[in-house]
């Protein structure tokens, strides 16, 4: 843990920063160091991972409280108990009474361990992100992501002991990890549960710690995981992979891996639910006379006939050309809005022909004008 930076320092914040400050700082830094904004930059990639890890802890009120109180030892199961530190397998709750007793006894009654240290404990869930294209989001794809997670040591298999040796049940606490202490106070005799000083709250005494994991039973490894992204997923949605997070302790289940999907914007299309929206230019002649257009879709180009007198801003529907629905829902539609492109750089002959054409037109050819001037007169 010596090479880890303080989570507040990573986000450029002071300890005790508010939820809004954390969210704002994370968004700013994540945008700056996102791999898509820094292709091939390994330093930016590592910073992005560091920022995500800091946000995962500080944006969770419970994890943030543990981190503020115990540092890395309060949020990382691979962090062992040091002298006077946060012992592995223990969960303290220092309330107002703990502070009161601490003032009387110099800190001897910090709080009781809330559970058996040898009971199975579920591993923490991890959060990461993956960026995909607009088409990959529509049709689904398979991606490989690289994560760092805590796994059970494959040498000691989580026993924390060197192979061929076993841990001794602590004779002082009987394997519970806590002992009862009775002391006289100005209020009378009082009892409290405190971490067993002999075993450090673990309930076991390990005479020969595993050399591979340092007696923690857990190791941190980098893993490549394949994830199937379903068709129809949208930007910002999360995929949950069961049991792909940090390993549990004492035989407890592993946490989950939560993958937030980011979809790159498309140069032609935008999405609303399962609908795809796009715009296409047409000429004045096509709008006036009608025409057969080639419209781009996520399936390729399709032909669509627009009627005579099509107005700029008219929208047409291509049924079944939208985004496939998730969970068996039907596929959406594509909506195409046409706009008339005004020609530029006309020659003298073209201008003359256009004026002559304009002179030939009458009021009956402009229903919109009649409607406008009728409202204007009223």
């Amino acid at each position: 843990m010596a090479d880890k930076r303080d989570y507040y320092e990573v986000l450029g914040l002071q300890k005790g920063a508010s939820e809004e400050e954390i969210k704002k700082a994370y968004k700013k830094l994540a945008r700056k160091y996102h791999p898509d904004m820094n292709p091939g930059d390994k330093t930016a990639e590592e910073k992005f991972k560091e920022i995500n890890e800091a946000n995962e802890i500080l944006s969770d009120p419970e994890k943030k409280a543990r981190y503020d109180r115990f540092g890395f030892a309060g949020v990382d199961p691979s962090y062992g108990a040091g002298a006077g530190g946060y012992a592995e397998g223990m969960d303290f709750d220092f309330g107002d009474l703990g502070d009161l007793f601490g003032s009387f006894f110099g800190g001897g009654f910090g709080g009781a361990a809330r559970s058996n240290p040898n009971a199975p404990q579920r591993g923490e869930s991890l959060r990461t992100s993956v960026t995909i294209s607009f088409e990959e989001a529509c049709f689904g794809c398979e991606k490989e992501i690289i994560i760092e997670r805590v796994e059970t040591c494959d040498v000691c298999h989580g026993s924390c002991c060197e192979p061929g040796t076993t841990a001794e049940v602590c004779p002082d606490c009987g394997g519970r990890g806590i002992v009862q202490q009775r002391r006289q106070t100005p209020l009378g005799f009082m009892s409290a549960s405190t971490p067993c000083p002999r075993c450090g709250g673990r309930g076991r005494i390990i005479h020969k710690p595993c050399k591979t994991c340092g007696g923690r039973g857990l190791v941190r490894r980098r893993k490549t995981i394949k994830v199937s992204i379903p068709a129809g997923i949208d930007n910002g949605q999360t995929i949950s992979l069961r049991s792909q997070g940090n390993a549990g302790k004492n035989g407890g289940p592993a946490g989950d891996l939560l993958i937030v999907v980011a979809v790159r914007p498309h140069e032609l299309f935008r999405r609303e639910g399962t609908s795809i929206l796009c715009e296409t230019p047409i000429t004045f002649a096509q709008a006036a006379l009608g025409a057969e257009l080639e419209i781009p879709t996520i399936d390729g180009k399709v032909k669509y006939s627009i009627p005579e007198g099509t107005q700029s801003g008219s929208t047409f529907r291509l049924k079944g050309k939208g985004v496939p629905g998730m969970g068996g829902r039907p596929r959406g539609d594509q909506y195409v809005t046409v706009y008339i492109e005004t020609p530029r750089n006309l020659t003298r002959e073209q201008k003359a022909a256009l004026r002559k054409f304009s002179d030939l037109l009458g009021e009956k050819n402009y229903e919109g004008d009649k409607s406008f001037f009728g409202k204007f007169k009223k």
Side-chain angles (χ1 to χ4, degrees):
M1 279 300 178
D3 58 341
K4 267 187 177 288
R5 287 202 297 156
D6 175 73
Y7 289 141
Y8 288 102
E9 179 186 341
V10 170
L11 297 181
L13 299 170
Q14 295 293 324
K15 187 172 181 179
S18 67
E19 182 180 347
E20 188 60 34
E21 289 173 327
I22 293 169
K23 186 185 297 183
K24 186 176 180 181
Y26 169 69
K27 286 184 176 179
K28 179 181 178 182
L29 292 171
R31 194 180 302 115
K32 180 179 179 181
Y33 292 107
H34 195 283
D36 285 350
M37 304 298 292
N38 305 272
D41 189 336
K42 293 295 182 183
T43 301
E45 183 180 340
E46 291 303 318
K47 282 184 176 291
F48 184 69
K49 291 178 182 177
E50 186 181 42
I51 292 161
N52 273 320
E53 182 180 337
N55 180 66
E56 179 190 350
I57 300 302
L58 299 183
S59 63
D60 185 314
E62 185 179 339
K63 292 179 183 178
K64 180 175 180 291
R66 293 206 307 267
Y67 178 71
D68 287 346
R69 187 169 293 171
F70 304 113
F72 293 113
V75 294
D76 190 338
S78 68
Y79 190 85
Y86 180 71
E88 180 183 354
M90 292 166 54
D91 191 2
F92 292 99
D93 182 11
F94 295 99
D96 295 335
L97 286 176
D99 295 336
L100 176 63
F101 293 153
S103 65
F104 288 146
F105 310 123
F109 282 71
R114 279 184 266 181
S115 59
N116 183 347
N118 294 317
Q121 298 178 37
R122 186 177 187 273
E124 289 189 342
S125 293
L126 299 177
R127 183 179 291 268
T128 187
S129 63
V130 63
T131 302
I132 60 176
S133 69
F134 189 91
E135 289 84 358
E136 287 174 328
C138 291
F139 296 117
C141 61
E142 191 174 80
K143 291 287 185 180
E144 286 189 348
I145 58 174
I146 299 174
I147 62 168
E148 286 191 357
R149 71 182 181 190
V150 174
E151 298 183 347
T152 301
C153 176
D154 53 9
V155 175
C156 70
H157 305 291
S159 71
C160 306
C161 303
E162 190 68 14
T165 67
T166 57
E168 174 192 356
V169 175
C170 178
D172 288 7
C173 65
R176 293 186 300 274
I178 56 174
V179 292
Q180 294 288 326
Q181 291 190 0
R182 189 168 181 266
R183 294 186 182 182
Q184 186 173 10
T185 74
L187 303 176
F189 283 99
M190 303 193 75
S191 296
S193 297
T194 61
C196 175
R198 183 163 183 174
C199 66
R202 302 180 80 169
R204 301 176 300 155
I205 297 174
I206 300 172
H207 298 289
K208 290 187 176 181
C210 173
K211 295 176 183 176
T212 302
C213 64
R216 293 188 294 271
L218 301 167
V219 291
R220 184 177 291 276
R221 289 197 179 99
R222 176 170 288 199
K223 301 291 289 187
T224 299
I225 295 178
K226 286 186 178 180
V227 53
S228 294
I229 298 175
I233 197 162
D234 207 349
N235 184 60
Q237 289 186 318
T238 300
I239 298 172
S240 178
L241 298 185
R242 288 290 183 89
S243 303
Q244 293 295 325
N246 283 340
K249 292 189 289 185
N250 303 325
D256 299 334
L257 175 60
L258 307 175
I259 304 168
V260 180
V261 177
V263 181
R264 286 193 293 268
H266 197 279
E267 59 182 356
L268 294 178
F269 308 126
R270 65 187 175 88
R271 176 177 173 179
E272 288 185 2
T274 58
S275 298
I276 291 178
L277 312 181
C278 74
E279 296 181 342
T280 185
I282 58 175
T283 66
F284 174 77
Q286 287 175 318
L289 303 176
E292 186 176 72
L293 306 178
E294 272 198 343
I295 306 296
T297 73
I298 57 175
D299 298 307
K301 292 181 179 179
V302 299
K303 291 185 177 181
Y304 186 85
S305 295
I306 59 172
E308 292 183 10
T310 294
Q311 300 298 307
S312 187
S314 297
T315 299
F316 303 95
R317 182 176 74 156
L318 302 180
K319 192 171 182 180
K321 292 298 182 182
V323 180
M326 294 182 67
R329 291 186 299 156
R331 186 170 177 176
D333 303 324
Q334 179 170 330
Y335 293 89
V336 183
T337 301
V338 298
Y339 62 91
I340 298 174
E341 186 173 13
T342 303
R344 298 180 181 180
N345 304 317
L346 298 176
T347 65
R348 182 179 300 173
E349 291 77 13
Q350 289 169 334
K351 290 178 181 178
L354 192 57
R355 290 191 184 98
K356 184 176 180 180
F357 171 74
S358 179
D359 292 340
L360 291 173
L361 295 176
E363 288 187 8
K364 64 179 182 180
N365 297 112
Y366 293 101
E367 294 182 3
D369 277 359
K370 289 192 291 184
S371 174
F372 171 78
F373 286 114
K375 292 177 183 177
F376 181 76
K377 288 176 181 178
K378 290 181 181 179

